[in-house]
Each structure stands twice: as structure tokens, then as C-alpha cells.
Amino acid sequence: MSFSTLLGRRWIGGAAMLALLSSCELLEFNPNAHNGSGDQTDLTAKNLARLAANPLPPGDTLRFVFTGDSQRFYEYNERLVASVNQQPGISLLVVAGDISDFGMAREMRLVAERLNKLKVPYLTVIGNHDQVGNGREAYQHVFGPLNYSFVYGETKFTFIDTNSREYNFNGRIPDVPWLQQQVSNLQGAKRQVVMSHVPPQDDDFDKQLTPAYTRALATAPKMVFELNGHRHSYSIGQPFNDGVTYINSHAFERDQYVILTVWNDANDQPKFRLKTVTF
Amino acid sequence: MRLLLTLACIGAVVPALGQNLPTAATAPSAVPAAHPWYRPTHLVLQTAGGMGMVAGGVGYTLLHDRLEADVLVGYVPEKHAGSTLGVGTFKVLYTPYSVRLNDKLQLRPLTFGVYVTHTRGVINDGEPNQYYDGYYWFSRNTRLGPLLGSRLTYGYKSVAHPERQKRVSAYYELGSNDLYLVTYFSNANRKALSPIDILTLGLGVKLDF
């Protein structure tokens, strides 16, 4: 072996080592930093692409799993994924925020690593814990936008950041004008669903915005329900007596999740069925 | 509060430096005036380990070269965190034994210690009245954790002061922090997480003079 080959090999070895180190999550600049992501980035866009690649035939009922607050419950996370993978006819899983406990990119990636083992795509909305420290930036790096919407299975989903306390109640979160715009346009869907982390009846929701927010939902066409997390306990009801049903998710630690089935009846009115699964 | 605690720790160590340095074996033949107690004994340059993309600082060697106390200031550019972060670190390291490889090379197979970091520039660090007491039980900017590493040292005589030996060391430090440890040791996560999930790695060089 010539000296130059050896040198070349060493150089390649060195470069490979550097590449390995720069993509290495162990080399964490700070718990508040999100360097070293590897492929754990833009997960919302990636999951939306997976969803779009597997469309539901028109007229089919849509079944999806609803859960929330995965924060720090890794052991439950694995069991939940194993259980959801046994469910037939599921199209996606949605997580109502609080992916992380401390707003750290590393936690978000640990959760994503586990959710990536789902057979179906999963989509998340940001929770208050995901905004601690530089969490809002980490969430956008690992997952994606804080407010977004998409249509799947003739259902429009609007996901919105309602963690008002994390912005110290600045009067702009949730972004009600954006919500109004989203829920007033079904984009060809036959029904719609809204999901956010903090429910509008909670102390962490900006009270100045509660009337405008709930009115936007109550006046929106074909609204099936709003999904929330934050409270770590399941509930279903119409707290504002305005015809809008609010469903709060079980947290991962509660050993339970919900399967929601949505369709339109003979009068083209949205209907849903709810099933609780214990894992 | 934790920052105050950190400062108190530094305060507690600094007087001890003065008492111990004259008997330190690192420079037995050095003229005391040439190396007054308050002058640091080494410079440090490090990457990662939670202490910054780049962190630099100074430190003191105590107890016959076995104990070190370092203070570092680190930097994380906005690109990697969403905001520019400044990271202040205080660490204390202990080396129980070292192995002489040859005339110039020395290996410290094991160094261990603790560190505290305080991070400035955090976006959502909590404003007055933003949260009620106990809303988040943990600090958003101060971390505390253990360190464990090794070090390879190359020693050479100082040209200007032949009586002194200069040393250049390369080291790695595996660490963790309070929140990662809480995560690992709660909720039966030990089955779900691997130790690597809660570890951080810092790489650095140290110049003793």
C-alpha cells in the first residue's frame, strides 16, 4: 500500500469521523439547542406526504387515533405504538401537544423515534411544554409549523397553537383570524376537525380570545369536534353550549387512547363514533 | 437562585485554591512569584457537552494535579438553537490516577466530576407573572450534571521557563443533566430508554502552563 493511499484513507476516515460527530446527537451544544438532528427534522411535512401518498377512497368513513401528552412517558409510548399497530382500518394518529416535557429537541426526537414505528402517519400540534425555553424553535425544527391545516379522507384538519400562557397572554395566541380563515373554507372536504393543546375553557387559554375562538368554531360549517390535550384526562362535552363538542385526550401515561370514526349521514351532516382502547 | 448557588460554589472553591496551590506538585520548582495563586493554571477549549458549540475558559489545578476547577464561557449560534445562547459553565473534575505512557505522553483513563451550566438568551425563560408558582418545577436555564471522561496529555519543557513543564491535553467528557436523569429514572423508562439517550459528549483541549 502506497503512502498516498494510506494518507487518503486516513483523510477519508477523518472526514467520516467528523461527519459522524457533527451528526451525532451526543455532541449537544446545549439542552436548548437542536443541533445534530440527522433525519429527525420536518416530520410534519414528511408525515403529510405519507398521508397524501395513501388517499382514502371517496365516501369511506375515516378512522384515526387521538391521543395527547406523550411527554416523558417513553415506556407508555412504546406500548401505545404496539397497540395502535394492531388496530385495523386506521389512517392516522394525532397527538394533541406536549410531545416533550422540558421543550428540548432531544425529547421530541426520542418521542418521534417511537412514533416513527407506527404503521400509519402521525401528526402533532404544539403544547405548552413544547414551548419551554427554546422549545418552540426546536418543535419547528423537528416537526414543523405551529399552525397548519390539511385535508384527508374528505375531512379538513386545522391544528392551532392555543398555548397563550407561553406567550404571556399577548393577545395574539391563538391566532383567531387565521383560524377563522381556515374553518370558513372546507377546501372541498365534507366535514372538519380542529385540534389544539390547551382547551378554550382552561386558565392557560387567553380569556380575551375565548369568545372569538369558540364563535369561530360554532359558526364554522360541518364542524365535527375540537380535540384538546393538556388536562391528562379524558372528557367529552359541549362546555360552551353552542353545539360544538370538545374532546380531551387521555395522556400517554393513562394507558388509553381513543379511536374516532367520522362520516356524513344521509343528510350530509357530520357524525362521529368514539371508542376508547386500553393498552 | 441556582445562579447564586453556582456563584457560592465558585466562592467556596476559590479560597481553597489559595491554600492548596503552594503545595501543589504540578510546579514544585516554580518560583512562587511567577505563579501567584490567583493566576489560572490552564486554558480550556471545548465543543458540545451542553456547554456551547464553542466554549473557552480557564481553570485551576489542586491537590497534586488531581482536582481541577474550570470556568468556561460558551456560545451557540442562533442557527442551532433559534436564538443566540451564551453558556456559563463551572466544572470540577477529579482524576484518581494517571498512567505514564512514555517520556512525553500521559493517560488519565478516568476523570469524573460535576458541572453546572447557566444559559442566557433563552427565548421563553419566563417573565414576571407569566406562570404561577410551581407551574414548571424545573429551571429553564440552569442545568446540573455529572461528568465522566478520559484524557491524553503531551508534556514538554517550557522554552521561556525550562523549570516548568507545559502540557497539552485532549479530552472527552460524557455527561448528563438533572432533567435527562429524571427522565431516565422515572416512569419505568429504564426499559424504554438506553443510557445513550440521556448522555452528552464534550470534546476539548486543555493547555497547562
Side-chain angles (χ1 to χ4, degrees):
Chain A
M1 189 186 298
S2 76
F3 180 70
S4 64
T5 325
L6 192 71
L7 204 68
R9 282 197 182 179
R10 275 195 179 181
W11 190 86
I12 291 164
M17 190 71 174
L18 268 179
L20 187 75
L21 287 177
S22 65
S23 70
C24 176
E25 261 191 72
L26 281 180
L27 281 172
E28 185 174 273
F29 296 160
N30 190 263
N32 288 305
H34 52 248
N35 67 293
S37 69
D39 51 2
Q40 300 277 59
T41 184
D42 296 326
L43 295 176
T44 299
K46 288 171 187 168
N47 276 292
L48 286 175
R50 277 179 69 196
L51 206 55
N54 203 0
L56 206 63
D60 268 22
T61 57
L62 170 66
R63 274 159 66 83
F64 63 97
V65 173
F66 167 49
T67 182
D69 303 80
S70 52
Q71 47 193 142
R72 200 146 58 83
F73 307 124
Y74 300 100
E75 198 253 338
Y76 296 89
N77 193 328
E78 291 180 357
R79 290 199 283 118
L80 178 134
V81 167
S83 170
V84 171
N85 280 344
Q86 304 292 315
Q87 297 292 342
I90 301 289
S91 293
L92 72 151
L93 175 141
V94 297
V95 189
D98 277 3
I99 315 305
S100 67
D101 206 19
F102 312 118
M104 292 170 177
R106 180 179 293 223
E107 299 180 272
M108 296 177 195
R109 289 176 186 138
L110 287 173
V111 172
E113 259 173 42
R114 284 159 180 81
L115 294 182
N116 286 344
K117 295 193 174 126
L118 284 166
K119 289 179 187 163
V120 294
Y122 63 92
L123 291 154
T124 60
V125 70
I126 192 165
N128 61 302
H129 280 258
D130 302 317
Q131 309 214 9
V132 168
N134 281 18
R136 198 177 297 144
E137 304 294 322
Y139 180 90
Q140 286 173 279
H141 180 79
V142 177
F143 294 101
L146 309 183
N147 295 333
Y148 65 104
S149 67
F150 60 95
V151 175
Y152 183 78
E154 298 178 314
T155 309
K156 178 163 181 177
F157 290 83
T158 300
F159 290 0
I160 181 166
D161 178 0
T162 55
N163 306 290
S164 317
R165 188 180 293 279
E166 299 308 314
Y167 299 83
N168 208 0
F169 302 107
N170 67 5
R172 297 195 299 275
I173 305 296
D175 186 344
V176 176
W178 180 85
L179 177 69
Q180 282 165 340
Q181 200 187 0
Q182 291 303 318
V183 297
S184 62
N185 181 0
L186 281 168
Q187 292 175 273
K190 292 188 170 168
R191 58 197 157 255
Q192 62 175 324
V193 169
V194 172
M195 182 168 81
S196 78
H197 180 64
V198 173
Q201 66 272 34
D202 196 277
D203 281 348
D204 296 326
F205 193 101
D206 196 335
K207 291 211 165 13
Q208 304 168 65
L209 298 174
T210 310
Y213 183 92
T214 54
R215 201 178 318 118
L217 299 194
T219 55
K222 313 278 186 190
M223 184 64 67
V224 196
F225 40 59
E226 150 129 338
L227 303 174
N228 299 117
H230 196 50
R231 300 192 152 185
H232 290 221
S233 71
Y234 170 76
S235 67
I236 181 166
Q238 298 194 351
F240 299 97
N241 300 312
D242 56 2
V244 181
T245 301
Y246 289 78
I247 309 175
N248 208 286
S249 67
H250 301 279
F252 277 40
E253 60 167 334
R254 297 296 156 105
D255 283 329
Q256 284 181 324
Y257 59 85
V258 158
I259 296 177
L260 293 164
T261 307
V262 292
W263 72 95
N264 283 18
D265 66 9
N267 301 319
D268 203 28
Q269 288 310 302
K271 296 281 167 198
F272 74 91
R273 195 168 52 237
L274 184 151
K275 183 182 161 195
T276 292
V277 178
T278 303
F279 62 86
Chain B
M1 183 60 213
R2 294 212 182 165
L3 178 66
L4 284 176
L5 209 68
T6 314
L7 291 173
C9 287
I10 297 169
V13 170
V14 169
L17 292 167
Q19 289 154 21
N20 287 315
L21 256 185
T23 59
T26 43
S29 58
V31 185
H35 212 151
W37 69 267
Y38 51 83
R39 208 175 100 184
T41 51
H42 52 257
L43 295 173
V44 195
L45 189 67
Q46 180 174 324
T47 181
M51 300 167 196
M53 184 172 93
V54 188
V58 296
Y60 296 90
T61 304
L62 305 148
L63 298 180
H64 304 273
D65 218 9
R66 288 203 172 158
L67 193 67
E68 288 155 293
D70 297 353
V71 179
L72 284 81
V73 176
Y75 161 77
V76 182
E78 189 181 345
K79 177 179 176 251
H80 294 299
S83 65
T84 304
L85 302 177
V87 191
T89 302
F90 175 66
K91 58 175 155 175
V92 178
L93 291 168
Y94 185 73
T95 306
Y97 64 97
S98 55
V99 181
R100 213 179 155 81
L101 299 177
N102 61 34
D103 276 2
K104 296 276 168 67
L105 283 176
Q106 187 197 46
L107 177 72
R108 298 184 181 202
L110 178 70
T111 60
F112 60 87
V114 290
Y115 75 99
V116 182
T117 58
H118 180 76
T119 304
R120 302 298 298 267
V122 171
I123 294 168
N124 191 5
D125 207 5
E127 291 170 18
N129 305 319
Q130 184 176 352
Y131 305 103
Y132 44 84
D133 280 354
Y135 190 86
Y136 294 122
W137 58 268
F138 50 91
S139 165
R140 276 152 284 176
N141 52 35
T142 305
R143 299 273 70 83
L144 174 73
L147 291 171
L148 185 77
S150 308
R151 191 186 309 179
L152 190 65
T153 300
Y154 176 81
Y156 59 98
K157 296 281 180 209
S158 162
V159 178
H161 302 278
E163 76 283 2
R164 259 192 261 154
Q165 200 191 31
K166 291 194 171 193
R167 294 183 300 182
V168 182
S169 313
Y171 67 85
Y172 74 87
E173 278 169 6
L174 288 170
S176 193
N177 66 49
D178 49 346
L179 298 185
Y180 293 173
L181 289 167
V182 162
T183 300
Y184 188 72
F185 289 106
S186 62
N187 306 319
N189 277 338
R190 269 166 291 174
K191 281 186 282 176
L193 295 177
S194 114
I196 211 158
D197 292 331
I198 59 150
L199 285 178
T200 61
L201 175 65
L203 300 173
V205 288
K206 212 160 213 182
L207 180 70
D208 289 78
F209 50 84

